[in-house]
């Protein structure tokens, strides 16, 4: 038996088979879970990628900034499973105007889009599916270190700080529902999302040389394993926590 045997997990953010979310979904299935995916914008692409998983899961359309999508989400999930034990938030977006060293010139509209999609969406998604988590469960969101500033990451870094704080407050308010909320802060990975960040190579270049355990920017498996661990019952008293999966980079000085 796997550590997720019998659990029902909703996974967002699968775009390609190089994404962390894809490997989370794969490992969830290998550990005994039933998986439901969501996608938006390129739904046919997500459906094709879903076919590569061990057991092709259903794919639901979800724009986390669309109130109608959120309001109908629980009912649409119920068409496939009778409840949810875990949720994976792997969603983030900042317009190009908020990246690449443009911090001082970014318009509020771009900042607002980054905050809505990358931070507030964690609260919106979690409360949308909360009626399905009658026996409690685990929410895990993908984060990136925001304890310092990084070149070119700009307003996405600010949005990740907001995501971290959002997770803490969700943990506070959802404890009475026996719902845990945690973050996995992964090192930089060469995903499709990373390719949209101008200067990503510059940002990622320091990890392999400074991380005590080293870091492979092409290997999402360590981060995916951490997510699966937090979705399981092996962390029953852990909430509001950030687990760093970055080879130890966050713990080192210059």
């Amino acid at each position: 038996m796997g550590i997720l045997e019998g659990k029902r997990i909703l996974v967002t953010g699968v775009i390609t088979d190089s994404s962390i979310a894809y490997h989370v979904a794969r490992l969830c299935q290998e550990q005994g879970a039933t998986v439901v995916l969501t996608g938006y914008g390129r739904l046919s692409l997500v459906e094709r990628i879903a076919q590569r998983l061990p057991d092709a899961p259903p794919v639901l359309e979800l724009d986390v900034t669309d109130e109608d999508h959120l309001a109908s989400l629980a009912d649409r999930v119920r068409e496939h499973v009778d409840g949810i034990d875990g949720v994976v938030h792997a969603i983030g977006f900042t317009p190009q105007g908020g990246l690449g060293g443009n911090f001082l010139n970014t318009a509020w509209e771009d900042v607002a889009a980054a905050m809505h999609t990358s931070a507030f969406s964690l609260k919106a998604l979690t409360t949308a599916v909360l009626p399905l988590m009658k026996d409690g469960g685990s929410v895990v969101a993908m984060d990136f270190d925001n304890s310092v500033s990084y070149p070119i990451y700009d307003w996405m870094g600010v949005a990740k700080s907001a995501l971290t704080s959002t997770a803490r407050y969700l943990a506070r308010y959802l404890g009475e529902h026996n719902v845990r909320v945690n973050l996995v802060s992964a090192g930089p990975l060469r995903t499709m999302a990373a390719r949209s960040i101008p200067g990503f190579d510059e940002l990622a270049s320091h990890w392999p040389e400074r991380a005590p355990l080293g870091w492979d920017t092409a290997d999402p498996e360590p981060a995916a394993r951490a997510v699966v661990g937090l979705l399981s019952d092996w962390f029953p008293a852990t909430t509001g926590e950030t687990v760093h999966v970055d080879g130890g980079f966050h713990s080192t000085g210059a």
Side-chain angles (χ1 to χ4, degrees), residues 201-217 246-247 249 252-254:
D201 288 340
E202 177 190 352
L203 178 66
S205 63
H206 302 292
W207 253 260
E209 63 191 46
R210 275 185 48 193
L213 295 176
W215 182 250
D216 184 352
T217 59
D246 61 357
F249 180 94
T252 64

Side-chain angles (χ1 to χ4, degrees), residues 49-133:
I49 296 300
Q51 296 296 318
R52 301 178 187 177
L53 290 167
D55 183 16
V59 178
L60 309 180
E61 184 177 23
L62 177 64
D63 175 357
V64 288
T65 68
D66 187 311
E67 291 297 328
D68 290 336
H69 282 201
L70 291 165
S72 65
L73 181 59
D75 286 339
R76 291 186 286 134
V77 170
R78 285 191 187 98
E79 295 176 6
H80 304 281
V81 291
D82 58 359
I84 288 291
D85 303 291
V87 179
V88 179
H89 179 281
I91 299 169
F93 170 73
T94 296
Q96 290 294 303
L99 297 165
N102 198 44
F103 186 87
L104 296 179
N105 301 311
T106 304
W108 164 244
E109 290 76 12
D110 288 345
V111 174
M115 293 295 185
H116 194 175
T117 308
S118 305
F120 183 79
S121 64
L122 176 60
K123 175 266 178 189
L125 173 64
T126 302
T127 54
V129 299
L130 189 58
L132 299 172
M133 304 178 79

Side-chain angles (χ1 to χ4, degrees), residues 132-252:
L132 299 172
M133 304 178 79
K134 296 189 181 300
D135 298 321
S138 175
V139 177
V140 184
M142 298 310 308
D143 199 5
F144 186 79
D145 179 55
N146 48 81
S147 61
V148 297
S149 64
Y150 289 99
I152 65 91
Y153 206 50
D154 293 350
W155 286 99
M156 192 65 187
V158 177
K160 288 298 187 182
S161 293
L163 176 71
T164 302
S165 188
T166 300
R168 291 195 192 106
Y169 277 93
L170 278 172
R172 171 180 288 269
Y173 288 108
L174 295 181
E176 64 184 70
H177 299 280
N178 196 31
V179 173
R180 296 169 283 122
V181 183
N182 294 290
L183 299 164
V184 169
S185 180
L189 292 163
R190 297 186 185 283
T191 62
M192 179 175 286
R195 289 199 293 272
S196 69
I197 301 175
F200 172 82
D201 288 340
E202 177 190 352
L203 178 66
S205 63
H206 302 292
W207 253 260
E209 63 191 46
R210 275 185 48 193
L213 295 176
W215 182 250
D216 184 352
T217 59
D219 184 9
E221 178 111 359
R225 288 190 181 195
V227 174
V228 170
L230 288 168
L231 289 170
S232 77
D233 294 331
W234 284 93
F235 290 86
T238 300
T239 195
E241 185 62 83
T242 300
V243 177
H244 289 84
V245 184
D246 61 357
F249 180 94
H250 73 283
S251 69
T252 64

